[in-house]
Amino acid sequence: MFLSSVPEMMEWGLRGASRSRRDALRWRLASLAVFLALWSVAGGLVELTKPFNPLFLPAPWVVIGALLDLARKGQLWVHVAATLERVAVGFSAGAVLALALGLLAGQVRAVRNVVEPVVELLRPIPPLAMLPLFIVWVGIGEGSKVGFITYATFFPMFVTTVHGVAQIDGRLLRAAQSLGARPRHLFFRVILPAALPDVLTGLRLGVALSFFVIVISEFVGAENGLGYLINDGRNFFLVPQMLGAALLLGLLGYAGNGLVRVLERRVLRWQHPR
Amino acid sequence: MSRTRILALVGVLVVWAAVSYGNRMLGVMAPALLPTPGEVATVFAETVRDGSLPRHVATSLARVAVGFGLAAVAALALGLLAAMCVPVRLMVEPIIEFVRPIPPLAFLPMFLVWFGLGEGSKVAFIGYTTFFPMFVAIAAAVLRVDVTLLRAAASLGAGHLDLIRRVILPAALPGIIVALRLGFALALFVIVGAEFMGADAGLGHLIMEGRTFFVPAQIVMGALVLGLLGSIVNALLLATERRLFRWREAGATS
Amino acid sequence: MKIRVRGLSRTFVAQGRETPALLDVDLEVAAHEFVCLLGPSGCGKSTLLNIVAGFLRPTAGEVRVDERPVTGPGADRGVVFQEYVLFPWLTVVGNVEFGLRLKGAPAAERRGIVARYLELVGLAAHAEKYPVQLSGGMKQRVAIARALANSPEIILMDEPFGALDAQTREVLQDELGRIQRVEHKTVLFVTHSIREAVYLADRVIVMTSAPGRIKQVFTIKLPEVRDRFAPEFTHYESEITRVVKEEVAKVHE
Ligand SMILES: Nc1ncnc2c1ncn2[C@@H]1O[C@H](COP(=O)(O)OP(=O)(O)OP(=O)(O)O)[C@@H](O)[C@H]1O
Ligand SMILES: [Mg+2]
């Protein structure tokens, strides 16, 4: 039986014995190698035996070839830059709005009572449903794409920020006050640092969501961007280009997540001191 | 609904009405762009009367139900397996980490190419999208099961199957239900996108039609119906959860 | 001998480094005997108990119960944990009858046994509550009832009263003493409280600082029902305190 045995469960629970770093890395590389190998074999077999049009399932090297091709023609960078710019601008605007309003609502009861129910009312509407409205309002240009990202990312970042402020232990504030902290001090030295873990979680959600929704707005109307590249690939049946662009999007999202992680590790060192 | 909820609802309606009717009188932007509550209500009434709204809702819900259902079964089976079998977990984890950052919608056109424009592509896409987060959350919920609970049960005579059936499953159940709830919300999120592209029915299609024929009131109506559906399903699941997991609430009365 | 521990060692590997937690421990517990383990924090008391319970495997040596080697946990050894490990999704009754259900005991029999042990720990009025609705002391009473209801001959307890306040702690010590006079289990009991050990134990075993070995054994020759203020009691207390202090001091060197 290859399920965890009872003695293993007794000693370590379901997680299994803790593994050394090198061992973990070895498993990781092996796993990815198997994945790529399976994909390659499948792609190669389809190429050889042609049970259906090989275009449907291109092998990894075909996908990478398509990306290199685009890069050689100098197009790839244009698309990547377009997507990145939209995400950067839209996300930043969303973050500024959400943090400002969230920190305010977290502290001022009156603001919270007004804003929070409204947010709770709008939040269940899947943001994608609002995309056509943005297009109708702002036109198909940059404005609607950026504005839509701002709209979509605002909600999770606002909610986590409010939560971050609301969960602060009141005793912490009282302790600071009894040490002579003024309201300004309270905000910068207690509230902000104490809310930061939640705020950063919100930022991470926001980054992921930005990449999530930019794709569809670039499907619906754009002349460039990775989403455009994917949809264009569909119109002309260029599956390698579609897969390549999707992989690139994943890479960008991964990098964005990594950036917030690095930020987290720097400003939240007190959570995991070494 | 709490009183603040109702107040918020009324407040939003009043502000919306004031802005849209005010715009109509002052002519700040084209009246069609900013539909009034009245217009949205009219579109709603019309589409209900001619039966198109119920049809769209049913279509979307059917796609979500099938796609989400298949993904949930797969995520449950594989999530439990991955959590209880260390080699499987070590093999699968990096692949998931590799695929997960790719925004699922980036694969939507691929599904249209692979499965055609019919129901297959939408169902498969919903399944694909919701599988990964549910799988990850379910495996994590199982892994969180405290080793001391396993030890306590074993020292009362529990064998391998007892441990799975009487400890691991009940202990992980709350986390599993949360995973399913998130998966369902995600399904409603992405079905709209799937129906934007090459569908001839469904709420997403209805909304896109509003854009194509320039009827903003129809877009707003579609969005509100979606929000309502999501809220209802969420409330139902939460209520079930609360009944199922009375043991987690400190104030529970027996 | 009910429990026989011979040449027991256990080494942990964490981040590629090996730390010995137990070194060559020999220990015997007779049937119906109540043995307390004392020793500085980190000396391996829990490790020893967990090996006897079958949760951990020894690096060297072996544990025998009724002369049969221990290979894993089993219903013959009930365990009470420090952190009140109750199944939170089961009521008090559900927790107490957990082991009986595993054995397939019929409902009527279960009901009788559960009622008896809930009565014994004074929780009959809380039978239908969930663990979140109980105080720490009540939870630990349920855990004790759960272990007893399964009628094991051995009970292993790892600082069962460690997380309780001083008053509740003494009440539960009294209860445990009373229960033991009825049930006559073989008990291995880990504690940090010397008073608790002298109050409950037939024998007190003091362990050395890590890696743990047996340092000294005290046989407590006091009447079954003990008076915490009797001169003999305080005599044992100060004697053991002296020995434990030597070891605790070594940890801080
Ligand atoms: N799972 C583990 N992995 C690595 N080291 C461990 C593990 N469990 C225990 N140890 C180490 O073994 C030694 C003994 O631990 P143990 O828990 O048995 O001590 P203890 O006597 O019960 O202490 P306390 O009185 O504080 O409960 C300690 O140094 C501890 O750090
Ligand atoms: Mg211990």
Side-chain angles (χ1 to χ4, degrees):
Chain A
M1 189 105 170
F2 81 144
L3 289 183
S4 299
S5 66
V6 173
E8 282 166 346
M9 277 195 222
M10 288 304 112
E11 188 146 1
W12 298 293
L14 292 168
R15 288 191 176 276
S18 61
R19 235 154 284 278
S20 71
R21 204 169 263 209
R22 181 185 303 166
D23 203 25
L25 186 70
R26 215 175 284 150
W27 271 98
R28 169 162 310 221
L29 290 178
S31 156
L32 288 177
V34 168
F35 177 68
L36 285 178
L38 284 179
W39 181 8
S40 302
V41 168
L45 273 182
V46 170
E47 189 82 43
L48 285 177
T49 60
K50 298 204 172 34
F52 48 81
N53 190 338
L55 271 178
F56 279 109
L57 189 69
W61 55 85
V62 182
V63 173
I64 293 172
L67 282 183
L68 288 179
D69 230 30
L70 279 170
R72 224 182 352 254
K73 281 188 265 171
Q75 290 175 4
L76 192 61
W77 177 241
V78 178
H79 295 297
V80 171
T83 297
L84 271 184
E85 193 184 322
R86 286 166 191 148
V87 166
V89 177
F91 165 77
S92 310
V96 168
L97 263 177
L99 261 72
L101 214 54
L103 287 171
L104 195 67
Q107 285 193 280
V108 185
R109 181 49 52 88
V111 176
R112 187 165 169 195
N113 282 347
V114 173
V115 180
E116 219 175 33
V118 175
V119 168
E120 286 308 312
L121 224 56
L122 289 178
R123 212 154 71 102
I125 300 175
L128 288 186
M130 301 298 253
L131 174 60
L133 205 59
F134 277 81
I135 296 175
V136 169
W137 277 343
V138 198
I140 223 152
E142 292 305 295
S144 66
K145 293 179 190 63
V146 170
F148 181 60
I149 294 184
T150 303
Y151 169 81
T153 55
F154 170 81
F155 291 98
M157 291 196 279
F158 173 81
V159 171
T160 46
T161 305
V162 171
H163 178 258
V165 178
Q167 56 82 35
I168 295 176
D169 188 346
R171 285 173 302 178
L172 220 53
L173 298 176
R174 259 172 277 147
Q177 276 168 331
S178 73
L179 291 167
R182 308 251 189 80
R184 181 168 46 96
H185 296 138
L186 274 189
F187 181 76
F188 283 106
R189 303 196 173 224
V190 182
I191 295 175
L192 212 51
L196 214 50
D198 282 306
V199 171
L200 285 167
T201 306
L203 290 186
R204 208 126 57 76
L205 288 177
V207 170
L209 197 59
S210 305
F211 283 100
F212 204 112
V213 297
I214 183 62
V215 192
I216 196 105
S217 43
E218 288 179 344
F219 286 171
V220 173
E223 281 94 54
N224 49 27
L226 289 168
Y228 163 80
L229 214 51
I230 292 173
N231 204 36
D232 177 66
R234 178 189 157 214
N235 292 335
F236 298 100
F237 223 72
L238 302 170
V239 178
Q241 175 181 321
M242 298 166 75
L243 277 174
L247 285 182
L248 266 184
L249 269 167
L251 215 61
L252 291 181
Y254 188 78
N257 188 48
L259 271 177
V260 183
R261 275 264 167 95
V262 169
L263 191 69
E264 255 174 15
R265 211 164 304 148
R266 296 207 83 166
V267 295
L268 298 182
R269 200 157 331 157
W270 52 271
Q271 281 196 324
H272 311 280
R274 266 195 295 166
Chain B
M1 265 215 291
S2 66
R3 236 185 52 187
T4 47
R5 271 288 160 86
I6 295 171
L7 274 180
L9 190 60
V10 173
V12 168
L13 272 176
V14 168
V15 172
W16 174 18
V19 171
S20 53
Y21 288 111
N23 177 53
R24 191 124 317 180
M25 282 190 284
L26 301 174
V28 182
M29 59 199 233
L33 282 179
L34 206 63
T36 62
E39 283 170 347
V40 173
T42 312
V43 175
F44 179 77
E46 268 169 22
T47 47
V48 169
R49 194 162 341 106
D50 68 14
S52 59
L53 183 63
R55 194 164 47 82
H56 289 304
V57 170
T59 309
S60 290
L61 281 184
R63 287 169 181 157
V64 165
V66 178
F68 165 79
L70 291 175
V73 171
L76 210 56
L78 291 174
L80 285 170
L81 182 69
M84 288 195 279
C85 172
V86 179
V88 169
R89 189 169 88 245
L90 290 173
M91 256 349 247
V92 170
E93 227 167 33
I95 297 176
I96 300 262
E97 273 173 46
F98 178 71
V99 179
R100 266 247 289 186
I102 302 175
L105 287 170
F107 273 123
L108 175 56
M110 217 84 67
F111 277 85
L112 296 177
V113 169
W114 282 334
F115 295 93
L117 286 177
E119 291 308 297
S121 61
K122 273 129 211 127
V123 168
F125 179 67
I126 297 270
Y128 164 78
T129 307
T130 52
F131 171 77
F132 285 100
M134 287 198 286
F135 169 82
V136 170
I138 288 172
V142 177
L143 280 176
R144 268 198 308 271
V145 174
D146 196 341
V147 63
T148 54
L149 286 178
L150 296 169
R151 289 178 172 182
S155 68
L156 291 166
H160 207 161
L161 279 179
D162 296 315
L163 288 177
I164 295 175
R165 202 160 63 89
R166 292 179 191 266
V167 182
I168 296 175
L169 282 181
L173 200 56
I176 291 175
I177 301 283
V178 172
L180 296 180
R181 193 150 52 79
L182 292 181
F184 196 87
L186 188 62
L188 276 185
F189 189 129
V190 295
I191 184 64
V192 192
E195 288 173 347
F196 281 175
M197 323 260 309
D200 47 16
L203 281 167
H205 169 74
L206 183 78
I207 290 172
M208 229 6 163
E209 214 179 49
R211 186 207 147 196
T212 317
F213 299 113
F214 205 75
V215 192
Q218 186 169 327
I219 302 178
V220 173
M221 192 272 288
L224 288 180
V225 169
L226 267 167
L228 199 65
L229 281 179
S231 301
I232 291 173
V233 172
N234 201 41
L236 282 178
L237 285 174
L238 273 177
T240 327
E241 236 171 273
R242 222 166 287 139
R243 282 189 75 139
L244 222 50
F245 304 131
R246 249 176 333 134
W247 51 268
R248 280 196 305 183
E249 284 165 49
T253 47
S254 52
Chain C
M1 279 297 141
K2 189 74 188 170
I3 305 174
R4 205 190 286 276
V5 174
R6 232 181 285 150
L8 197 70
S9 300
R10 168 71 204 220
T11 306
F12 286 105
V13 185
Q15 276 119 36
R17 255 188 321 151
E18 294 197 351
T19 7
L22 282 179
L23 205 62
D24 198 19
V25 171
D26 292 301
L27 172 72
E28 290 185 344
V29 183
H32 315 302
E33 194 183 16
F34 197 121
V35 171
C36 276
L37 279 178
L38 278 173
S41 181
C43 75
K45 302 180 296 295
S46 298
T47 306
L48 176 55
L49 201 86
N50 284 334
I51 293 175
V52 176
F55 303 146
L56 297 180
R57 283 165 289 187
T59 317
E62 66 165 357
V63 175
R64 283 172 176 267
V65 167
D66 288 329
E67 303 308 330
R68 275 190 304 275
V70 164
T71 54
D76 57 333
R77 283 150 291 143
V79 180
V80 179
F81 303 83
Q82 176 176 357
E83 325 83 48
Y84 337 113
V85 183
L86 299 180
F87 303 111
W89 56 88
L90 297 177
T91 59
V92 168
V93 171
N95 268 283
V96 176
E97 68 174 7
F98 190 91
L100 299 169
R101 268 182 188 275
L102 292 176
K103 279 185 205 148
E109 186 191 332
R110 289 203 309 262
R111 214 172 304 130
I113 296 176
V114 169
R116 170 162 169 241
Y117 284 102
L118 284 184
E119 194 66 47
L120 192 65
V121 298
L123 280 181
H126 305 282
E128 293 306 321
K129 288 198 171 150
Y130 286 102
V132 280
Q133 299 170 283
L134 304 177
S135 70
M138 288 155 89
K139 280 186 206 168
Q140 208 56 308
R141 286 189 178 97
V142 177
I144 292 171
R146 181 178 66 185
L148 291 172
N150 214 25
S151 58
E153 293 184 355
I154 297 173
I155 304 240
L156 307 169
M157 303 176 119
D158 191 353
E159 300 189 44
F161 310 145
L164 301 175
D165 64 272
Q167 275 80 33
T168 314
R169 196 169 176 149
E170 288 203 349
V171 172
L172 275 164
Q173 286 167 7
D174 290 345
E175 274 181 28
L176 186 62
R178 182 171 50 79
I179 290 170
Q180 174 64 0
R181 287 194 290 279
V182 180
E183 299 273 331
H184 300 295
K185 300 293 183 190
T186 305
V187 183
L188 192 55
F189 186 106
V190 171
T191 177
H192 272 291
S193 160
I194 294 162
R195 262 167 89 75
E196 184 167 275
V198 177
Y199 187 69
L200 291 169
D202 299 316
R203 259 191 315 146
V204 175
I205 296 178
V206 181
M207 292 177 67
T208 64
S209 53
R213 316 155 140 274
I214 307 281
K215 181 176 169 84
Q216 198 167 333
V217 181
F218 295 85
T219 307
I220 311 290
K221 297 196 192 77
L222 288 176
E224 269 205 329
V225 183
R226 291 174 190 177
D227 172 6
R228 291 190 181 88
F229 300 98
E232 300 81 13
F233 190 99
T234 34
H235 175 73
Y236 276 118
E237 229 185 311
S238 52
E239 189 91 340
I240 297 174
T241 306
R242 193 174 48 75
V243 177
V244 171
K245 272 205 174 138
E246 287 172 13
E247 287 308 312
V248 175
K250 280 189 203 158
V251 178
H252 296 288
E253 263 166 24

